[in-house]
Amino acid sequence: MEEIIQHLAPLLKEISGYIYPNEIELHWGILVVIYPYITGLVAGAFILASLVKVFNVEEVQPTYRISLLTALAFLFVAPLPLLAHLGHPEKSYEIFLTPNTNSAMAMFGFVYAWYLMAVLLLEVWFDYRESLILWSQHETGLRKWIHKILSLFSTDISEKAIKFDKKAVKIITIIGIPSAFLLHGYVGFIFGSIKANPWWSSVLMPIVFLFSAIVSGIALIMIIYMVVTPLRGKEIDMRCLNKLASYLFYIMIIDFSLECLDFIHRIYESEESIKILAQLVSGKLFVSLVVIQLLMGMILPLGAIAIVKIFNLPDELKKLIYFLAALLVQVGIFTTRWNVVVGGQLFSKSFSGLTTYKMTFFGLEGLLMSIFLLLLPFLILYILFKILPPWDEARVTG
Amino acid sequence: MKKEQRKKLPRRDFLKNVLRSCAGLMLPGFLFAKEAGKKAAALLLDGLYNPAEHSWGMGIDINKCIGCGRCADACKKENNVPNVPFFFRTWVERYRVFENGETLIDSPNGAVNGFENLTDERTIIRSFFVPKLCNHCNNPPCVQVCPVGATFQTVDGVVLVDAEYCIGCRYCIQACPYGARFLHPETRTAEKCTFCYHRVVRGKLPACVEVCPTQARIFGELKKKASPLVRFMRMNKIRVLKPALNTEPRVYYSNLDMEVR
Ligand code: SF4
Ligand code: SF4
């Protein structure tokens, strides 16, 4: 009690205009920003991986397994921020036990379980089955056993079996694409379906979420690929990188257009909430929305990749630009999530005033926890890379 | 504070929960949530109170409200709402509309201690008070979004939260267009006005209605002819808050100004 008073009392002075008295406490903080950011990365990375299998884009083959494992690592962490933000994490099982079928949020568990079990784990397993068997044949000790267990003790690497694996992967990918759309579009729906909140309530929300997810996923894989490959003492495949950058570029253009559409639509319709939203955008959200999300996270990287595409730059310079662009995109997408989640709570539903969000440092919902949650997937990814090397040569020497 | 809450969960219960979650994964009990509402109502007074015979609502006469804030104060005491200026089941807003059309709204400490005298230099053309509370919407978005069915609508039209079920996700707080909900800092569950359900089922009036010196709040049946609420709604022109959102509030205002949202 003391804690909460100390936290909220100073905020009383930060209010401008009038807000409902219960609105002083802002309910969805940084953790709920992280959640859509992470599921976005999962969906994005997976869709990139599907390009190889479904659309036979040969160039990005080197990042196929990296993408799959990245999606998996981030998916493992996705429910943690949600769990940590609950008032009663220990009761979260009720969401499985007594789900309210009318609630968008109640479906989270099922969508998540479906995506993890029916899509990602299965696809990884079928894709790695042959490698696992081959690896375990040449290995000794612990690694041998890990790989044996992971292959579920299957041993059949006849041509027919391998063919079946390939087919399975393809089918799972085809199921997986709509599932990835579902996983993240659904997160957009959680916000987009709240009619009480004009900043969120938009039918475009799931679609904007989806495209920004693909953008962030591709950018993340670019970063991981460009960091890991030199660390392994290997050459970066420029064909692959150029292709990734192209995809990033085009999807960003779609994403940008959608966001513009949303923006224009709001201004043109000019509903009851427009005045307070205008105040919000030109005031408390100006830096994070206009400067970081729009200029740094969207226009700058778009311009940079366009320059690479137009002029024939040397490979080294290209790499640098790609890398910086991908980093900026990550920052941009993170602030996009921030602007949606936190931005949507900075104005009062009385449309007469603005409030402030103050992050704590310690505690379950604090900054420290958030940083941990953002680093955790990379740790998991590192372990996955060790157990299931996604590199091409590992596949060949198998 | 958090620690105390955690400690209250014995290990056996925790294990039970884990087991149940596993079972839940296999066999989602879609039935439970729907049953919960009925069960709560049925258990309530061992059959002494039959919710099916009632349909509650509240009328608020803006012209009668003098902004004394006794309702807000009584509510805090009756319902153990933490006595700090961040959590309210009901509060009173003061509106001042100036000559140039500018509007000032305030509600210091939810008006629990009333309002201070006006010291405005400018000419006020309209000024009035608006008591607010949960509207017990007939089409309640908070009920729709609650993932576990902890927020539910009783047969008599009151919207309640089952603190045993509530997992504190706060989706309902986001979904309520009226700012009627808060997260109780001690229980960490969602809370809001219950129309003083514990009093109503015993035939009493909600605390805020009982203490109002001017009878600006009228509580009663919506479907019985003899009810004071029905009479109020017949004698006055009625508006609800944010009608465009189609939440169908059961709190009806008379003489509501266009500035109020
Ligand atoms: S006023 Fe808010 S809390 Fe009350 S029933 Fe309506 S939506 Fe739910
Ligand atoms: S906070 Fe509690 S009552 Fe509100 S939506 Fe979540 S579980 Fe339901």
Side-chain angles (χ1 to χ4, degrees):
Chain A
M1 193 69 187
E2 296 306 309
E3 226 176 283
I4 197 110
I5 295 174
Q6 270 179 18
H7 180 69
L8 294 179
L11 293 180
L12 281 171
K13 292 190 209 81
E14 305 279 331
I15 297 164
S16 61
Y18 173 72
I19 69 170
Y20 295 134
N22 285 332
E23 288 179 323
I24 291 167
E25 185 175 18
L26 192 139
H27 286 284
W28 286 356
I30 177 102
L31 288 180
V32 187
V33 176
I34 291 180
Y35 160 63
Y37 177 65
I38 289 186
T39 55
L41 291 172
V42 175
F46 182 82
I47 285 166
L48 179 62
S50 333
L51 287 177
V52 183
K53 290 293 151 182
V54 180
F55 303 105
N56 295 320
V57 184
E58 280 305 315
E59 290 96 327
V60 292
Q61 172 69 32
T63 57
Y64 169 68
R65 282 184 167 181
I66 301 182
S67 310
L68 272 191
L69 295 187
T70 306
L72 191 60
F74 277 86
L75 192 63
F76 282 139
V77 180
L80 297 185
L82 275 193
L83 211 59
H85 115 278
L86 291 182
H88 286 274
E90 82 285 355
K91 284 197 267 180
S92 58
Y93 68 91
E94 281 171 2
I95 214 165
F96 289 112
L97 213 60
T98 64
N100 167 15
T101 41
N102 290 329
S103 164
M105 193 183 277
M107 294 303 114
F108 167 78
F110 301 104
V111 174
Y112 178 83
W114 163 261
Y115 194 71
L116 178 70
M117 320 260 199
V119 177
L120 261 184
L121 283 180
L122 265 189
E123 175 154 349
V124 171
W125 190 76
F126 275 114
D127 189 63
Y128 271 94
R129 202 185 63 91
E130 183 195 5
S131 306
L132 285 170
I133 296 168
L134 291 175
W135 288 335
S136 65
Q137 282 173 358
H138 297 278
E139 287 164 342
T140 51
L142 191 61
R143 276 189 81 82
K144 184 186 181 83
W145 281 101
I146 291 179
H147 285 149
K148 249 196 152 87
I149 293 170
L150 286 182
S151 71
L152 302 178
F153 298 99
S154 66
T155 50
D156 188 355
I157 46 172
S158 65
E159 215 169 283
K160 212 172 117 201
I162 305 290
K163 224 172 160 182
F164 180 79
D165 287 349
K166 289 224 168 95
K167 207 162 143 197
V169 167
K170 189 148 186 171
I171 292 172
I172 296 166
T173 315
I174 290 172
I175 301 172
I177 295 176
S179 305
F181 278 35
L182 181 72
L183 178 76
H184 198 62
Y186 154 81
V187 179
F189 188 79
I190 286 190
F191 294 96
S193 60
I194 296 297
K195 66 181 170 190
N197 189 323
W199 185 243
W200 290 346
S201 174
S202 157
V203 56
L204 273 184
M205 197 62 113
I207 306 178
V208 172
F209 260 56
L210 207 64
F211 278 93
S212 56
I214 305 177
V215 167
S216 68
I218 299 178
L220 179 69
I221 301 300
M222 280 174 78
I223 295 174
I224 293 177
Y225 181 61
M226 289 172 81
V227 168
V228 170
T229 315
L231 280 182
R232 298 192 305 122
K234 296 280 179 319
E235 267 301 307
I236 289 179
D237 180 348
M238 275 320 276
R239 252 182 28 149
C240 169
L241 205 57
N242 284 331
K243 198 81 194 169
L244 287 177
S246 289
Y247 280 125
L248 183 64
F249 184 75
Y250 295 125
I251 308 266
M252 272 175 85
I253 289 185
I254 300 180
D255 187 29
F256 186 54
S257 323
L258 284 171
E259 273 171 35
C260 288
L261 174 62
D262 189 55
F263 188 68
I264 294 168
H265 185 87
R266 280 169 193 279
I267 295 183
Y268 199 80
E269 275 202 334
S270 177
E271 289 185 350
E272 194 183 8
S273 56
I274 191 73
K275 278 198 195 122
I276 194 74
L277 294 186
Q279 254 188 59
L280 179 72
V281 170
S282 58
K284 297 202 184 220
L285 275 193
F286 186 79
V287 174
S288 63
L289 187 80
V290 179
V291 179
I292 304 184
Q293 179 184 331
L294 201 67
L295 287 177
M296 283 172 57
M298 186 68 86
I299 296 183
L300 206 62
L302 266 180
I305 300 177
I307 289 176
V308 176
K309 280 180 156 304
I310 297 168
F311 304 105
N312 203 1
L313 302 177
D315 279 356
E316 284 312 305
L317 190 58
K318 268 191 189 171
K319 278 186 218 163
L320 184 70
I321 292 180
Y322 285 159
F323 191 72
L324 292 179
L327 275 184
L328 280 180
V329 166
Q330 283 313 325
V331 176
I333 299 291
F334 188 83
T335 24
T336 309
R337 308 288 181 242
W338 174 277
N339 292 331
V340 170
V341 177
V342 175
Q345 301 168 78
L346 290 182
F347 67 95
S348 165
K349 293 195 180 97
S350 67
F351 303 157
S352 312
L354 300 170
T355 167
T356 307
Y357 172 48
K358 200 175 87 188
M359 209 188 309
T360 52
F361 186 75
F362 296 105
L364 264 184
E365 295 186 60
L367 183 64
L368 209 61
M369 179 71 172
S370 316
I371 295 174
F372 168 72
L373 285 175
L374 284 175
L375 291 179
L376 188 59
F378 290 101
L379 182 71
I380 298 176
L381 190 60
Y382 176 79
I383 298 170
L384 285 178
F385 278 172
K386 285 277 164 223
I387 302 175
L388 302 168
W391 335 117
D392 273 348
E393 66 270 16
R395 203 191 276 258
V396 184
T397 53
Chain B
M1 183 183 75
K2 258 188 211 166
K3 266 189 207 130
E4 275 170 28
Q5 293 294 333
R6 297 262 150 75
K7 259 190 234 147
K8 276 187 199 147
L9 189 85
R11 177 169 302 154
R12 200 152 48 96
D13 280 0
F14 178 74
L15 285 177
K16 238 199 289 177
N17 290 353
V18 172
L19 272 180
R20 276 198 210 154
S21 343
C22 298
L25 263 174
M26 309 290 147
L27 186 125
F30 285 94
L31 293 174
F32 290 78
K34 297 232 169 77
E35 285 301 305
K38 287 181 210 153
K39 230 174 13 193
L43 287 178
L44 210 66
L45 267 193
D46 313 319
L48 286 180
Y49 171 83
N50 182 1
E53 288 170 6
H54 306 274
S55 180
W56 302 113
M58 191 184 283
I60 294 177
D61 193 340
I62 303 281
N63 281 356
K64 282 190 181 164
C65 178
I66 55 171
C68 64
R70 288 184 57 184
C71 50
D73 183 48
C75 173
K76 284 227 170 187
K77 290 181 178 134
E78 174 72 28
N79 296 299
N80 289 320
V81 179
N83 194 14
V84 288
F86 322 114
F87 313 109
F88 298 89
R89 289 182 174 203
T90 183
W91 67 96
V92 183
E93 296 168 352
R94 173 171 67 182
Y95 287 71
R96 278 167 278 171
V97 184
F98 296 99
E99 252 175 333
N100 64 354
E102 193 193 322
T103 309
L104 256 186
I105 315 168
D106 64 347
S107 181
N109 192 18
V112 167
N113 328 95
F115 291 87
E116 289 187 4
N117 283 341
L118 294 177
T119 51
D120 286 295
E121 299 278 297
R122 293 180 286 168
T123 319
I124 296 173
I125 53 172
R126 292 200 299 282
S127 178
F128 49 88
F129 302 97
V130 182
K132 293 259 183 99
L133 68 161
C134 166
N135 288 286
H136 296 274
C137 308
N138 243 342
N139 182 18
C142 56
V143 172
Q144 183 187 33
V145 300
C146 176
V148 296
T151 286
F152 62 96
Q153 192 179 27
T154 57
V155 185
D156 46 13
V158 182
V159 174
L160 298 174
V161 185
D162 184 340
E164 300 250 309
Y165 266 88
C166 174
I167 57 175
C169 70
R170 296 168 254 183
Y171 202 12
C172 55
I173 304 178
Q174 307 288 4
C176 171
Y178 306 99
R181 292 176 163 250
F182 58 90
L183 194 82
H184 193 289
E186 263 146 16
T187 61
R188 311 279 300 154
T189 54
E191 265 215 29
K192 64 168 199 68
C193 158
T194 60
F195 269 166
C196 281
Y197 206 60
H198 57 291
R199 296 171 58 93
V200 170
V201 293
R202 289 178 176 82
K204 294 187 188 167
L205 288 171
C208 57
V209 177
E210 192 156 293
V211 300
C212 178
T214 63
Q215 290 172 6
R217 295 185 185 233
I218 302 110
F219 181 81
E221 301 276 2
L222 280 168
K223 290 192 182 141
K224 292 186 183 158
K225 278 231 170 89
S227 129
L229 181 58
V230 171
R231 203 175 65 233
F232 168 76
M233 292 175 70
R234 203 164 46 216
M235 308 296 278
N236 291 281
K237 305 227 167 25
I238 298 289
R239 252 193 72 190
V240 294
L241 294 174
K242 302 193 182 188
L245 291 178
N246 193 31
T247 50
E248 299 176 6
R250 281 171 171 260
V251 173
Y252 305 89
Y253 290 86
S254 73
N255 304 304
L256 195 69
D257 196 87
M258 70 175 205
E259 298 294 340
V260 181
R261 271 185 293 241

